């Protein structure tokens, strides 16, 4: 793909080695190092693997640049003290938004984009370009380094602390069962409380204390 781009007129190409499972943040970090001095970084609206379209957002964060999504048209503003671009962005229901974009910027473009009013189509590579691209040197950029995942301890549901109770003393089995289960004792029925945040916290703590979760 990089040699095809060189054959179509790209001046240089850089490849950043990465594993297929590398995350968007790690990929963007490596790409940002390559284009750190660029005023404008153009990206597609989605990738060909996961298709999340999240890499441009991470690149913009790494470069501290503005980001524009879903761009279908670009127009260059005349170079002045406040030069930049006018981006036409697709909105819902056939609407469009015109945004003035200052540099540095990361712009995600769609396939049917126009530049200065002219539709952009894929350039056909000339024979001389194809021959030159076969022997062109492709630079190797920084490798995508995956973050080391730290091991986590096992997660399990909370179990209340064991409460020590004396054994039933009655000789009859059914009496001992009633003593253990407290089936005949009156219980507080569920109720709905409408409280302020502070009062609700105190009521929750009091209920947990009554259930034996903590002293």
């Amino acid at each position: 793909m990089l040699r095809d781009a060189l054959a179509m007129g790209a001046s240089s190409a850089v490849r950043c080695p990465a594993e297929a499972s590398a995350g968007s943040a790690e990929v963007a970090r490596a790409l940002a190092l390559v284009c750190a001095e660029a005023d404008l970084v153009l990206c597609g609206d989605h990738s060909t693997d996961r298709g999340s379209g999240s890499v441009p957002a991470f690149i913009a964060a790494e470069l501290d640049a503005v980001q524009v999504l879903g761009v279908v048209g670009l127009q260059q503003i005349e170079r002045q003290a406040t030069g930049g671009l006018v981006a036409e962005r697709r909105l819902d229901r056939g609407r469009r938004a015109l945004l003035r974009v200052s540099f540095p910027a990361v712009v995600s473009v769609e396939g049917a984009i126009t530049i200065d009013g002219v539709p952009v189509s894929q350039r056909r590579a000339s024979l001389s370009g194809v021959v030159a691209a076969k022997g062109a040197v492709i630079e190797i950029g920084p490798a995508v380094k995956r973050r080391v995942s730290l091991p986590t301890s096992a997660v399990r549901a909370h179990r209340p602390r064991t409460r020590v109770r004396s054994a039933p003393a009655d000789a009859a089995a059914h009496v001992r069962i009633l003593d253990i289960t407290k089936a005949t004792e009156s219980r507080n029925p569920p109720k709905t409380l409408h409280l302020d945040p502070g009062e609700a916290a105190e009521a929750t703590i009091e209920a947990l204390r009554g259930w034996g979760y903590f002293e």
Side-chain angles (χ1 to χ4, degrees), residues 26-49:
E26 288 76 21
V27 172
R29 191 173 296 109
L31 296 177
L33 294 175
V34 177
C35 54
E37 302 299 326
D39 288 336
L40 176 63
V41 179
L42 290 177
C43 304
D45 55 350
H46 66 274
S47 58
T48 57
D49 48 6

Side-chain angles (χ1 to χ4, degrees), residues 7-123:
M8 295 177 188
S11 59
S12 61
V14 181
R15 179 173 66 88
C16 298
E19 298 179 5
S21 58
S24 298
E26 288 76 21
V27 172
R29 191 173 296 109
L31 296 177
L33 294 175
V34 177
C35 54
E37 302 299 326
D39 288 336
L40 176 63
V41 179
L42 290 177
C43 304
D45 55 350
H46 66 274
S47 58
T48 57
D49 48 6
R50 293 187 293 270
S52 64
S54 58
V55 171
F58 285 108
I59 294 177
E62 292 288 336
L63 299 179
D64 194 20
V66 299
Q67 184 196 11
V68 187
L69 304 173
V71 173
V72 295
L74 284 175
Q75 183 177 356
Q76 185 174 355
I77 302 175
E78 294 184 2
R79 285 283 182 178
Q80 297 175 350
T82 59
L85 299 171
V86 172
E88 181 181 351
R89 185 169 178 264
R90 187 191 302 275
L91 300 177
D92 296 335
R93 300 180 181 179
R95 294 176 295 177
R96 295 289 189 270
L98 293 179
L99 305 176
R100 182 162 184 163
V101 184
S102 58
F103 297 134
V106 178
V107 179
S108 300
V109 300
E110 297 188 4
I113 186 175
T114 62
I115 296 182
D116 291 334
V118 179
V120 175
S121 58
Q122 184 172 344
R123 187 181 300 178

